[in-house]
Amino acid sequence: IMELLKQNVGIDISKDFFDATFMILLTGQVLKTKQSRKFANTHTGIKEFTEWVNNLKDSNIDVHVTMEATGVYYETLAYSIYPIKDIVTHVLLPNTVKRFFESLNIEIEFSPFTSEKLKNEYLVGGTVDPCFPSKISLAHVKYLIENSNAPIIFFPKIQFLPTFLENTLDSKACP
């Protein structure tokens, strides 16, 4: 029987809606999508989202919710779910890297957004690390290797993340 190692909800957020994909990682590096759903980016939509997460999650392990800092659109969701027990909130800042390379006049190319299609087509094998972002990042690297003419793939390991949240024990990224 496969043991549940991690559960993560990836969020793609915009002004009016956000798409959520609930994924789990099992022993043997088996990554499975439990469900995907679209929610209104409103207080009612956020309430429906938390109920959806609570219905899907295994209560023995924290659920990690990961979203990009897209303008101000993520803020209501992040502030609403942060205090919830058993939900660990992660907000990523993708434009920081983009602006750094642009300041050096280096042309950049991104892999596509994380999706079920990307995972299925480009995630082969895996890493021994049970962290979802670490595992799914391999699909992004493989996509770039196969579809880009870029001479270099920048693949940083970010140890500590800045956070706007107060009273946190830490804000480390997965190894």
Side-chain angles (χ1 to χ4, degrees), residues 35-107:
Q35 201 174 80
S36 294
R37 186 169 160 197
K38 182 178 237 171
F39 298 90
N41 194 3
T42 62
H43 290 291
T44 301
I46 292 168
K47 183 176 184 228
E48 291 172 2
F49 168 75
T50 56
E51 290 169 359
W52 178 74
V53 169
N54 284 328
N55 288 334
L56 290 173
K57 75 176 185 173
D58 180 314
S59 60
N60 296 317
I61 296 178
D62 288 344
V63 176
H64 293 258
V65 177
T66 307
M67 66 192 82
E68 288 185 58
T70 307
V72 295
Y73 305 138
Y74 72 97
E75 290 179 354
T76 302
L77 176 61
Y79 282 117
S80 296
I81 64 173
Y82 169 72
I84 299 173
K85 185 180 182 232
D86 301 332
I87 293 182
V88 180
T89 308
H90 304 274
V91 178
L92 307 177
L93 306 168
N95 283 329
T96 303
V97 172
K98 179 181 179 184
R99 285 191 210 107
F100 171 73
F101 283 110
E102 287 173 347
S103 75
L104 299 173
N105 291 322
I106 296 173
E107 188 176 324

Side-chain angles (χ1 to χ4, degrees), residues 82 88-89 161-172:
Y82 169 72
V88 180
T89 308
L161 300 172
T163 180
F164 60 89
L165 303 173
E166 296 178 11
N167 302 317
T168 60
L169 295 176
D170 210 342
S171 62
K172 289 186 177 179

